[in-house]
Amino acid sequence: MNTSHARAISNSCERCQSKMQAVAELLILSCDGRPVKTEHVMSSHTNSPSQIKDRIFTSMKSLTLSMKNVITLVHMITTKWTEIVEALQELTNITVSFVELCSHVAYLTAINFPDCSQALPGLVDKYCVCLAGLEIKLSCVQLKRSRIDELSPQLIIDLCSNISKHIAIITDICRTAGQKVSDESTQDQFKLCVKSVTCAAGCLIASIKCYKSNASPTHHSRVLVFCEPVLASSAALVSFATEEDFIGNEAILTSEAKDAQKAILGACMSIVSASIQLCKTVRDLAFDMLTAHHRDKLRMCTDSVERAASQLTELLNKHSMKDYSACRISPDRSNGKLLEQSRNSLVRNDDDKDFNDDCNSTSPGVLLDDSK
């Protein structure tokens, strides 16, 4: 394998590793007592507790097969480097979906214990905003680190589309949140944050389009320069939107419930750690294919997943779960702060219109069209 191909695989491993680690920190290591409401988890046809549990079992099988596929490709002499990159991306997507499902099931399991009550939603879904911010960051970092000869037209389109998609997600969430707060200064802050992100993204996407039509060093330099304001503005918006006043309240859990939640998340983390270790090992093998130690570590990763999967299966079969909608909200949670948040979520329709008019001056929907 030549140096450029090894570098491409190494960069892909680092991106996959970063994404899995970030998601694990958000959903597993934090032990956050909140439901996961991504589109993948809250599928209208398969979102009951028993169905989500079945989907976890299916995901574990898919994850094991995906890991074995990566290992097979690494061992094959005829394998193209692009096939390894695609297999790593597939493994990462499966792992992220698996973590989301496990985190949601751990939450449902915990609130099913006596004297526990479910989380109270806020104006902003913390995980959805943080995940969108992560996707923007990873795409911008890839743009910054890619050499001119590595930025193929298809890669540029993919990165541009991903940035536009997740900027639209993050700004839509924050625009809706801004409409529901009564404090004028907070409304203004949401408006300005949304404008900042969409304007910075517009500049970046315009630079990408120029580079796509003429791949000169000057246009490449523009792309690098305008990645920075997108990174800074999106990170600032994520930080602001996920302040405690906007993200609601975690579930109230007893110590027994927390232990059950941590047990499920711990088994999940063992599987995620094995996936991350696999990426690290493939990265090492990209530059040193002859070392037997690296190949042994690949086998150890699959063994670790099989052990953790068995443990997780036992834990999930041990606990029963109610449907999320059937879980209780403790009456004593209706304190002054929550009542104030409820009042703050009620604003006049005229305020909503003014907020939309201000924010839509630079609509992220336009960015989606520009990425094509």
Side-chain angles (χ1 to χ4, degrees), residues 292-340:
H293 174 64
H294 296 323
R295 296 179 182 273
D296 291 338
K297 287 169 71 175
L298 292 176
R299 178 182 52 78
M300 292 168 62
C301 290
T302 56
D303 292 343
S304 178
V305 166
E306 289 175 358
R307 288 194 300 270
S310 177
Q311 180 186 2
L312 181 58
T313 300
E314 182 180 343
L315 287 168
L316 293 179
N317 289 331
K318 176 182 176 182
H319 297 289
S320 61
M321 293 175 288
K322 295 179 182 177
D323 195 353
Y324 175 77
S325 61
C327 297
R328 304 173 303 282
I329 299 179
S330 177
D332 61 4
R333 302 199 73 184
S334 300
N335 53 37
K337 182 179 178 181
L338 296 180
L339 289 174
E340 182 181 354

Side-chain angles (χ1 to χ4, degrees), residues 140 143 163 199-209 223 226-227 230:
C140 287
L143 276 173
I163 292 171
C199 287
C203 291
L204 174 60
I205 291 172
S207 301
I208 292 174
K209 291 174 69 176
V223 172
F226 284 109
C227 277
V230 173

Side-chain angles (χ1 to χ4, degrees), residues 35-54:
V36 179
K37 297 182 178 180
T38 58
E39 184 178 351
H40 171 70
V41 173
M42 304 306 289
S43 172
S44 58
H45 301 295
T46 56
N47 65 349
S48 70
S50 60
Q51 289 172 327
I52 292 178
K53 190 186 293 185
D54 291 339

Side-chain angles (χ1 to χ4, degrees), residues 335-346:
N335 53 37
K337 182 179 178 181
L338 296 180
L339 289 174
E340 182 181 354
Q341 288 178 348
S342 298
R343 287 195 295 267
N344 289 345
S345 68
L346 301 175

Side-chain angles (χ1 to χ4, degrees), residues 54-64 94 97-98 101:
D54 291 339
R55 290 166 63 192
I56 289 177
F57 297 148
T58 302
S59 292
M60 286 191 290
K61 294 177 182 178
S62 299
L63 198 149
T64 302
I94 293 174
S97 298
F98 170 73
L101 290 169

